[in-house]
Amino acid sequence: MTLFQRQHAIAVITLDHPPVNSLSHALRQRIVEAVAAAQADAQIKGIVLVGNDKAFSAGADVTEMGTPKQLALPILPEVLARLESCSKPVVAAIAGVALGGGLEVALSCHARVALEGARVGLPEISLGLIPGSGGTQRLPRLVGVATGLDMILSGQPRSARQLADSGLFERVVAVDLVDAACAVALQLADAAALPRTRDRALDADLVRSHVEAARAKLNARQRLQPAYAAVLDAVAATALPFDQGLAKERELFLGLVPSRQARALRYQFKVEREAVKLPASIQGQSRPVRTIAVIGAGTMGTGIAISAIDAGLRVVLLEQDAAALERGRQRVADHYNGRADAGKIKHAVAEASLARLQPTLEWSDLALADLVIEAVFEDLAVKQEVFRKVDAHARPGAVLATNTSYLDIDAVAAVVSRPQDLLGLHFFSPANVMKLLEVVRGAQTSADVLATGMELGRTLKKLPVLCGNAFGFIGNRIYNAYRRHCEFMLEDGAWPEDVDRALTGMGFAMGPFAVADLSGLDIAWRMRKAQAATRDPRERYVAILDQLCEQGRLGRKAGAGYYSYTDGKQSAASDETVRAIIEQASAARGIVRQPLTPEQIQRRALLAMVNEAALLLAEGVAQRASDIDVVLVQGYGFPRWEGGPVFWAQQQDRAQLEQDIKGLATVVGHGFRQGDLALLLG
Ligand code: NAI
């Protein structure tokens, strides 16, 4: 194989590891060989490194991670040293993406030329790491400390167009990338000395002030993840001589690789990819979906519509009356116009998006849809009535879906003539933002229909997770167990703010009582009343929420719930009224209140989730233990860098965990079911 193509006096080295030129051992070796050959060739004055249209290089090869190939020579830092010390100019020609190690390759070249639409970034932070091959040292030297820090801390790629004046690129071009890169290489060949990023010195005071400003701005969740502080320490080292900075970066990087947080993030990365696949036991062909119909243009219906429109689908939006339809249509229009006004999308894109929306009051329009999804009120009779009409109008072969949060899918399917075509598609609010999608399998749902649900999830750029049809599916079932246990802790001695603070203190986006106030306590109250008749009186039932509701404390919207709200701002602690209700609840159960430490609260909350996870697996509601972690992280604010409840359980001392799970029996009392931990831990 030829190592490079000659373009006059320039050696053009094409990275050839499709699809995205991940930096496998073979590719690293080839780069080194090709550069050596070009260097030895007297006819050659300069070198251009180029990838394909999709990628210059997307970074490390995940398939080699943890294998001997990952560390086989030449390792990436060595490749970069060869590029940087090459006596002939090396120019990176970037189309598509240059991410992580891929961008680090480009940063080690003597110059970079990019197509306008190319995207570059250092996403290591999302895996709990920092760039480990000079990214933290070279990027700030080229683009400045502020931009460099911003890019490394956010992990978000930016377009070459955005970075055109940043100092990163010698040229940003619309066409003829390789020609432009060759021209730059020739120019450099005639220069007195090659520009090397390592030779640029940064002002030490400036570095310090930017780093400290960024440190002060880290939020609580970032402070819980050691990679953020490590980025700052590494960038602070750009004030040192280059090689010392590089050594510091390497040391920080290697320290992070085995950290709990980085392991959890790698785990999430892996299990998310598994979750979206149907198990081998379900072999189905997905049906094509180009047009969907959404019934109900409320909060969820409009969110689902936006999500589908964004994915290029056509959406028929059906409502029961003209006013509700117009409100829904307006909400979708406001979304797109707002984004266009804010400069996030072009006005033409907003118009084209809205053109894919067809609001209607005619049930016969359902015949246009390949998939019909219902998002009307959460009431079985209402949903059944809707599905009778859907059955009459949807075309044969159309997939029928319900967005119910709790109702029995089979009871919904019972009213249609084609129950095999019906499934649950449980979106999360806001449906155009949240990535989780629970794909719920009814008793008669066919494999093709499940495959279509999973495929639709991927089309909408969601994370579809298969669930069995049981009350609350995966997410709400675990969340209910968790929330119930948090209520026990109120009776046992904690205040709502103790529980919330302990859980946000370990990284939950919000505590359970702040969440309850935000969503409104009346939803749970209504559900509790509906269940009252069938509830076993021996069960431990915490009546605090009911009493709050009886006093009109329905949550944030009422100005009071577990907390009180002034101008929408939550009080730091619960007030006397709430404390009196809680104290009475403790007294009624004969409990002498004992304060709980944050660690006790966290552990009890997690134990409740873990036990429920084991039950869900035993019942077949979840296919894989790891699916539960994906659901909790994506839909319920569980800290991603802790991996999820199952991952957490796997990190614990097994004997202690088993004992603590057994101990839940005394807390929960009558009706406690103990899950089999072996299902989670192997
Ligand atoms: P919503 O009250 O905002 O919207 C419901 C809409 O359905 C209303 O616009 C109503 O006019 C319309 N509707 C009612 N009956 C209808 C009928 N027979 N034909 C046509 N349209 C009809 O309710 P939301 O919050 O959007 O919830 C809808 C469904 O989504 C419920 O089943 C709910 O459990 C579920 N869900 C809600 C989530 C949330 O956070 N709000 C999250 C996940 C699921």
Side-chain angles (χ1 to χ4, degrees):
M1 186 189 359
T2 49
L3 289 168
F4 58 80
Q5 262 85 42
R6 279 165 207 278
Q7 193 146 327
H8 305 296
I10 301 298
V12 177
I13 302 174
T14 303
L15 310 182
D16 59 351
H17 184 212
V20 291
N21 287 322
S22 61
L23 295 161
S24 62
H25 177 235
L27 182 57
R28 298 196 301 269
Q29 208 160 26
R30 214 184 86 78
I31 295 173
V32 169
E33 283 167 12
V35 169
Q39 205 167 357
D41 188 327
Q43 310 291 311
I44 293 294
K45 289 176 133 189
I47 299 167
V48 165
L49 283 185
V50 64
N52 55 42
D53 290 349
K54 256 189 167 169
F56 176 75
S57 165
D61 188 335
V62 277
T63 63
E64 286 189 2
M65 275 186 189
T67 72
K69 281 192 173 168
Q70 186 186 2
L71 292 176
L73 297 179
I75 59 169
L76 190 58
E78 207 178 319
V79 177
L80 305 190
R82 299 278 185 102
L83 294 172
E84 194 168 52
S85 61
C86 183
S87 58
K88 298 178 183 177
V90 186
V91 178
I94 305 173
V97 295
L99 299 176
L103 180 57
E104 288 177 310
V105 168
L107 295 173
S108 306
C109 295
H110 301 110
R112 287 143 296 278
V113 174
L115 275 186
E116 285 173 348
R119 296 184 68 75
V120 302
L122 293 171
E124 286 79 357
I125 196 88
S126 63
L127 286 175
L129 299 173
I130 64 170
S133 300
T136 66
Q137 303 303 298
R138 290 193 179 92
L139 185 65
R141 278 180 163 81
L142 286 167
V143 301
V145 184
T147 307
L149 268 175
D150 223 41
M151 287 179 68
I152 304 169
L153 285 172
S154 77
Q156 292 298 319
R158 294 198 188 173
S159 73
R161 197 181 289 113
Q162 273 175 299
L163 291 168
D165 299 325
S166 67
L168 183 55
F169 302 111
E170 193 66 27
R171 289 181 65 188
V172 174
V173 297
V175 288
D176 299 334
L177 175 68
V178 173
D179 288 346
C182 289
V184 170
L186 278 175
Q187 258 170 27
L188 290 177
D190 293 335
L194 290 177
R196 298 188 310 171
T197 310
R198 62 154 55 227
D199 298 332
R200 294 174 169 230
L202 290 172
D203 179 75
D205 288 338
L206 198 73
V207 170
R208 196 173 317 114
S209 75
H210 279 300
V211 167
E212 290 323 310
R215 205 183 295 278
K217 271 202 285 189
L218 290 185
N219 65 33
R221 296 187 96 197
Q222 291 169 332
R223 284 171 204 272
L224 289 167
Q225 303 173 65
Y228 285 88
V231 166
L232 299 175
D233 294 345
V235 172
T238 56
L240 302 173
F242 185 80
D243 286 320
Q244 283 178 35
L246 209 55
K248 179 74 184 165
E249 178 200 75
R250 197 73 193 161
E251 176 198 324
L252 288 163
F253 170 79
L254 291 175
L256 288 170
V257 172
S259 67
R260 185 183 79 238
Q261 292 87 343
R263 281 189 295 116
L265 289 165
R266 284 200 290 276
Y267 163 83
Q268 270 292 329
F269 183 84
K270 177 168 151 269
V271 298
E272 277 173 5
R273 272 154 190 74
E274 284 166 11
V276 303
K277 294 182 199 143
L278 284 175
S281 56
I282 304 175
Q283 297 276 345
Q285 271 295 318
S286 73
R287 300 178 188 167
V289 175
R290 292 189 191 88
T291 300
I292 70 164
V294 179
I295 308 176
T299 311
M300 293 308 287
T302 50
I304 295 167
I306 290 168
S307 178
I309 291 170
D310 283 346
L313 304 181
R314 300 190 64 83
V315 176
V316 174
L317 185 62
L318 175 72
E319 256 291 349
Q320 54 186 351
D321 64 64
L325 182 63
E326 176 49 24
R327 276 196 304 277
R329 190 204 61 79
Q330 193 61 50
R331 210 172 303 152
V332 178
D334 287 349
H335 168 82
Y336 286 106
N337 294 333
R339 285 180 64 79
D341 291 344
K344 296 202 169 119
I345 53 172
K346 298 210 169 94
H347 281 278
V349 172
E351 266 168 46
S353 300
L354 283 169
R356 290 200 287 279
L357 178 74
Q358 182 186 334
T360 183
L361 294 169
E362 300 300 329
W363 288 81
S364 56
D365 285 340
L366 293 184
L368 299 167
D370 306 307
L371 180 145
V372 179
I373 177 162
E374 154 291 305
V376 303
F377 305 134
E378 184 77 350
D379 179 295
L380 183 60
V382 173
K383 291 203 193 279
Q384 286 177 327
E385 191 46 40
V386 162
F387 272 104
R388 283 191 192 96
K389 292 194 204 154
V390 171
D391 199 23
H393 293 283
R395 65 166 180 73
V399 170
L400 315 182
T402 167
N403 181 46
T404 181
S405 309
Y406 289 100
L407 298 172
D408 177 5
I409 304 287
D410 294 331
V412 177
V415 302
V416 296
S417 62
R418 32 179 153 171
Q420 73 284 357
D421 287 341
L422 190 140
L423 83 171
L425 289 178
H426 184 212
F427 286 81
F428 289 71
S429 182
N432 54 313
V433 176
M434 296 289 285
K435 290 195 79 179
L436 181 61
L437 175 66
E438 288 183 324
V439 176
V440 189
R441 179 186 200 179
Q444 297 188 58
T445 312
S446 78
D448 288 4
V449 168
L450 288 175
T452 311
M454 300 298 277
E455 184 60 32
L456 178 74
R458 287 189 291 265
T459 305
L460 302 189
K461 300 205 170 73
K462 306 272 176 217
L463 264 168
V465 177
L466 183 67
C467 306
N469 175 30
F471 184 79
F473 315 129
I474 295 178
N476 281 340
R477 169 87 178 267
I478 302 260
Y479 194 81
N480 281 357
Y482 157 82
R483 181 167 150 173
R484 181 168 181 238
H485 207 92
C486 290
E487 292 180 357
F488 293 158
M489 291 195 261
L490 293 187
E491 273 189 353
D492 290 347
W495 302 121
E497 61 272 23
D498 297 334
V499 176
D500 282 356
R501 257 187 235 135
L503 291 161
T504 52
M506 75 161 277
F508 275 86
M510 285 174 85
F513 298 113
V515 170
D517 272 0
L518 185 64
S519 15
L521 304 186
D522 47 332
I523 303 174
W525 192 29
R526 219 175 304 130
M527 201 172 333
R528 285 159 171 246
K529 281 194 218 162
Q531 291 164 343
T534 52
R535 188 177 304 124
D536 188 329
R538 291 167 298 176
E539 208 176 84
R540 179 170 180 184
Y541 178 76
V542 179
I544 296 167
L545 179 139
D546 311 45
Q547 283 159 13
L548 291 172
C549 290
E550 279 159 22
Q551 298 200 11
R553 302 187 67 120
L554 302 181
R556 189 180 279 262
K557 63 186 170 191
Y562 288 100
Y563 299 93
S564 31
Y565 297 85
T566 326
D567 300 331
K569 204 175 167 318
Q570 182 188 307
S571 59
S574 45
D575 58 30
E576 286 312 311
T577 319
V578 176
R579 291 191 173 199
I581 292 174
I582 294 173
E583 277 169 344
Q584 271 165 27
S586 307
R589 199 170 295 282
I591 293 172
V592 181
R593 294 177 61 76
Q594 301 274 353
L596 297 172
T597 65
E599 293 72 29
Q600 286 170 322
I601 292 169
Q602 291 162 359
R603 189 164 181 89
R604 282 179 59 171
L606 285 159
L607 289 171
M609 288 194 188
V610 169
N611 189 56
E612 203 66 22
L615 293 172
L616 274 182
L617 266 182
E619 292 165 24
V621 178
Q623 304 299 304
R624 315 171 181 93
S626 58
D627 286 358
I628 296 169
D629 285 346
V630 172
V631 168
L632 267 291
V633 166
Q634 290 298 329
Y636 295 82
F638 194 104
R640 187 180 165 85
W641 64 92
E642 295 294 350
V646 176
F647 182 86
W648 176 84
Q650 289 165 351
Q651 312 308 306
Q652 306 304 305
D653 175 76
R654 183 154 181 168
Q656 183 66 50
L657 189 68
E658 275 168 0
Q659 194 183 325
D660 288 353
I661 291 276
K662 232 183 243 157
L664 284 177
T666 32
V667 178
V668 180
H670 183 80
F672 174 70
R673 285 195 301 145
Q674 190 180 328
D676 179 3
L677 278 184
L679 291 171
L680 305 182
L681 307 177

